[in-house]
């Protein structure tokens, strides 16, 4: 039995006479970051070893030695005793070298009918599948917080904006449920990414398949994949699963960023719509009055990283010929960072929102500012007086101009002033100029009326949280 393997070159046998240049080692080694794949790598190797023995490619005794060795390595890594060596390039060679060091000859048989190309593709798919499941659970928890808030604020009015100009009054619950829909689509994107990516590359070997009588169905099944990948060249070349994850993550990060931006804006003294929990804000070392929404700002800012990692991997892959190229090793750091970032932002957003308190009086006062019920006035002329909408729009615009001249709100115009604008503007119109009336009237499907919002809350619980409903 030979001594411990000191470099990847020894594993390759006699082909290389010289050592890797130190700079080669630095540019080539990935173990510094791909050690995160250790659990997936062990899982894949266990499945491979069992299959090799079942097909008579290695003996049962070798299989047992391999499985025991892999278990021992798992303990070494868990307990921080494993030495990751950059000379052994990546996590795959580090584990294989250690296995051989521990169990000798049998360790050298594990790599039969396998290449690092199908091995790394398998490990990465397993890892991404875990990341998808974590994102899904965090998104669900965030939706639960939003749905609870939406229920509490189903009838609380606030200004709705377009162009960030006061547009029409809406209910706060309705506004929050908009995000529930966005995060619901994110969950769906992750779920569809999972469906597409849950196929097993193992057994593709370097790129062409293998001459050994392997059982790809068995390894796919043991690893929880739906099926083996159909084409061995595709199996080792494809990184769509990483792109799928990153695109879903980037879109989700953009949604989080938009929500964070609203919280930043709403938390200013000028808006004063929301008070963020102190635990998610910071003070200023010079301005004693400041309470800065740092967590929300960072959620907004970190979306840039997630988007960047998607663009980076697209760029890495765009010129690559089939099959494997080492460029593909560049898939890892960005992917890991995107997942870490997204998971942190999802958790922080849920916690920050959970502790946020809305200033309902401020929201109500702001809801009517900027003549937000001008559309209601026009709609009243259409409904009650049979005025064509375009003409009614013009009359309402004149009423707004009059109110602006007087520096008052629409419902503060005198009867005579209204009549002077148009004789059909009878005092009864005043009824529709209040913000509560306005939101209560918007009962169309998907509209902002409190009755609709309460229905939407119940529907969202059934659709997204699997609660109640039928
Ligand atoms: N560390 C490599 C990666 O992450 C593993 C695959 C290496 N394959 C090879 N033929 N050198 O992509």
């Amino acid at each position: 039995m030979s001594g411990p393997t000191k470099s990847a070159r020894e594993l390759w046998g006699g082909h290389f006479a010289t050592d890797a240049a130190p700079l080669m080692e630095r540019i080539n080694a990935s173990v510094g970051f791909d050690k995160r794949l250790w659990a997936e790598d062990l899982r894949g190797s266990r499945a491979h070893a069992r299959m090799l023995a079942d097909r008579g490619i290695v003996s049962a005794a070798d299989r047992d030695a391999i499985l025991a060795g892999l278990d021992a390595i798992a303990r070494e890594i868990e307990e921080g005793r494993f030495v990751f060596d950059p000379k052994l390039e990546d996590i795959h060679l580090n584990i294989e070298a250690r296995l051989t060091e521990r169990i000798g000859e049998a360790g050298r048989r594990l790599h039969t009918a396998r290449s690092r190309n199908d091995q790394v593709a398998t490990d990465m798919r397993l890892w991404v599948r875990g990341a998808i499941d974590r994102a899904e659970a965090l998104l669900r928890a965030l939706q639960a917080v939003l749905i609870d808030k939406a229920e509490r604020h189903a009838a609380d009015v606030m200004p709705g904006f377009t162009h960030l100009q006061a547009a029409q009054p809406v209910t706060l619950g309705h506004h929050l449920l908009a995000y529930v829909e966005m995060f619901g689509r994110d969950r769906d994107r992750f779920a569809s990414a999972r469906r597409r990516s849950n196929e097993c590359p193992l057994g593709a070997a370097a790129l062409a398949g293998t001459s050994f009588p392997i059982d790809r169905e068995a390894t796919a099944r043991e690893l929880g994949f739906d099926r083996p990948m159909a084409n061995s060249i595709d199996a080792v070349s494809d990184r769509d699963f990483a792109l799928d994850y990153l695109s879903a993550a980037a879109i989700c990060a953009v949604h989080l960023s938009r929500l964070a931006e609203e919280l930043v804006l709403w938390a200013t003294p000028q808006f004063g719509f929301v008070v963020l929990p102190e635990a998610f804000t910071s003070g200023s070392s010079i301005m004693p009055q400041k309470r800065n929404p740092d967590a929300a700002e960072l959620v907004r800012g970190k979306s840039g990283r997630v988007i960047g990692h998607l663009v980076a991997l697209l760029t890495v892959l765009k010129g690559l010929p089939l099959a494997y190229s080492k460029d593909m090793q560049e898939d890892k750091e960005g992917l890991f960072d995107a997942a870490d970032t997204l998971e942190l932002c999802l958790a922080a957003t849920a916690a920050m929102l959970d502790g946020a308190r809305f200033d309902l009086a401020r929201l109500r006062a702001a809801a009517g500012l900027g003549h937000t019920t001008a559309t209601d006035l026009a709609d009243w002329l259409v409904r009650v007086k049979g005025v064509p909408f375009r003409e009614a729009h013009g009359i309402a615009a004149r009423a707004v101009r009059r109110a602006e001249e007087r520096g008052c709100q629409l419902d503060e115009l005198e009867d005579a002033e209204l009549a002077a604008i148009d004789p059909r503007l009878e005092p009864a119109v005043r009824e529709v100029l209040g913000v509560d009336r306005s939101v209560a009237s918007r009962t169309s499907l998907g509209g902002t009326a409190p009755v609709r919002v309460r229905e939407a809350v119940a529907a969202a619980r059934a659709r997204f949280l699997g609660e109640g409903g039928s």
Side-chain angles (χ1 to χ4, degrees):
M1 201 169 88
S2 52
T5 312
K6 286 189 205 68
S7 83
R9 301 196 166 218
E10 284 176 46
L11 288 168
W12 303 329
H15 187 45
F16 286 84
T18 56
D19 281 347
L23 280 172
M24 170 58 180
E25 197 181 296
R26 266 180 65 199
I27 196 170
N28 194 37
S30 56
V31 70
F33 47 88
D34 68 17
K35 60 180 166 206
R36 276 185 81 156
L37 296 172
W38 71 267
E40 287 77 13
D41 197 68
L42 291 174
R43 202 173 157 194
S45 288
R46 286 189 189 102
H48 186 65
R50 285 194 193 102
M51 181 279 292
L52 289 177
D54 287 349
R55 304 298 299 213
I57 301 166
V58 302
S59 68
D62 282 346
R63 174 199 57 206
D64 294 343
I66 290 169
L67 293 177
L70 293 174
D71 285 348
I73 289 172
R75 281 192 299 278
E76 287 180 6
I77 297 176
E78 270 160 4
E79 291 162 12
R81 290 186 283 114
F82 190 94
V83 184
F84 296 97
D85 181 0
K87 284 206 175 355
L88 291 164
E89 291 194 8
D90 55 25
I91 185 64
H92 322 292
L93 292 186
N94 267 269
I95 289 178
E96 191 188 324
R98 179 70 184 131
L99 182 69
T100 300
E101 200 179 353
R102 288 192 70 108
I103 69 170
E105 187 72 11
R108 288 189 215 286
R109 296 189 194 278
L110 172 61
H111 212 54
T112 315
R114 185 176 78 168
S115 152
R116 270 190 295 163
N117 297 347
D118 60 337
Q119 190 179 357
V120 72
T122 304
D123 294 1
M124 286 291 279
R125 277 176 190 262
L126 288 171
W127 195 91
V128 167
R129 198 171 72 191
I132 286 173
D133 293 346
R134 292 193 299 276
E136 154 77 15
L138 287 162
L139 274 163
R140 185 185 187 282
L142 175 56
Q143 284 181 305
V145 172
L146 283 162
I147 293 170
D148 281 348
K149 295 254 175 215
E151 180 172 48
R152 180 159 350 129
H153 300 300
D156 291 320
V157 289
M158 66 172 280
F161 298 91
T162 63
H163 312 263
L164 196 52
Q165 302 290 317
Q168 293 173 341
V170 295
T171 47
L172 176 55
H174 193 53
H175 192 103
L176 296 174
L177 286 179
Y179 285 102
V180 171
E181 294 297 320
M182 291 149 80
F183 294 129
R185 289 192 295 275
D186 290 336
R187 282 176 67 181
D188 197 50
R189 264 182 286 273
F190 280 117
S192 86
R194 193 187 203 285
R195 260 195 314 281
R196 262 190 305 286
S197 65
N198 202 33
E199 295 188 340
C200 189
L202 199 61
L207 81 164
T210 173
S211 58
F212 292 97
I214 58 170
D215 183 352
R216 294 193 56 207
E217 302 281 352
T219 43
R221 206 177 317 116
E222 172 165 352
L223 295 171
F225 289 112
D226 295 328
R227 63 192 77 81
M229 290 184 75
N231 181 296
S232 64
I233 296 177
D234 180 50
V236 296
S237 312
D238 171 52
R239 291 294 180 275
D240 288 4
F241 63 93
L243 291 175
D244 261 343
Y245 175 85
L246 287 169
S247 344
I251 296 173
C252 179
V254 166
H255 291 158
L256 287 169
S257 182
R258 294 181 77 170
L259 174 55
E261 161 61 10
E262 295 207 309
L263 292 175
V264 169
L265 199 62
W266 291 2
T268 57
Q270 285 73 17
F271 272 80
F273 289 180
V274 73
V275 180
L276 295 175
E278 210 171 81
F280 285 88
T281 59
S282 76
S284 159
S285 51
I286 177 165
M287 297 165 284
Q289 87 286 7
K290 287 295 281 294
R291 189 198 250 230
N292 297 323
D294 298 38
E297 294 167 88
L298 286 163
V299 167
R300 188 177 58 186
K302 283 174 189 291
S303 63
R305 286 172 53 167
V306 181
I307 296 164
H309 293 317
L310 168 63
V311 176
L313 185 58
L314 285 167
T315 313
V316 165
L317 292 169
K318 72 172 269 296
L320 289 190
L322 305 184
Y324 178 85
S325 296
K326 198 61 171 272
D327 313 47
M328 292 161 82
Q329 181 165 285
E330 289 294 309
D331 61 357
K332 292 176 191 58
E333 286 165 288
L335 182 74
F336 294 156
D337 184 65
D340 291 343
T341 304
L342 184 74
E343 288 164 26
L344 177 60
C345 289
L346 283 167
T349 302
M352 179 169 51
L353 262 180
D354 195 40
R357 205 169 35 72
F358 291 98
D359 187 333
L360 303 179
R362 287 281 298 209
L363 285 163
R364 167 167 291 278
L369 287 181
H371 314 294
T372 52
T373 55
T375 316
D376 298 271
L377 187 151
D379 287 352
W380 181 87
L381 283 167
V382 172
R383 205 168 39 242
V384 179
K385 297 292 174 184
V387 181
F389 181 76
R390 276 287 157 233
E391 188 187 343
H393 181 280
I395 297 168
R398 289 204 295 284
V400 167
R401 185 150 11 101
R402 183 77 194 114
E404 274 171 356
E405 280 160 13
R406 280 209 28 216
C408 70
Q409 294 301 306
L410 272 182
D411 60 353
E412 289 163 359
L413 290 173
E414 310 283 340
D415 289 351
E417 284 175 302
L418 288 170
I421 292 160
D422 191 287
R424 288 165 293 189
L425 282 180
E426 293 162 6
V429 72
R430 230 176 274 289
E431 273 174 36
V432 300
L433 297 182
V435 291
D436 288 300
R437 264 300 283 266
S438 173
V439 295
S441 73
R442 296 223 153 65
T443 53
S444 54
L445 181 76
T448 201
V451 284
R452 288 288 163 268
V453 173
R454 289 195 182 95
E455 286 167 8
V457 162
R461 287 217 166 97
R463 283 162 66 209
F464 299 122
L465 309 181
E467 292 167 8
S470 56

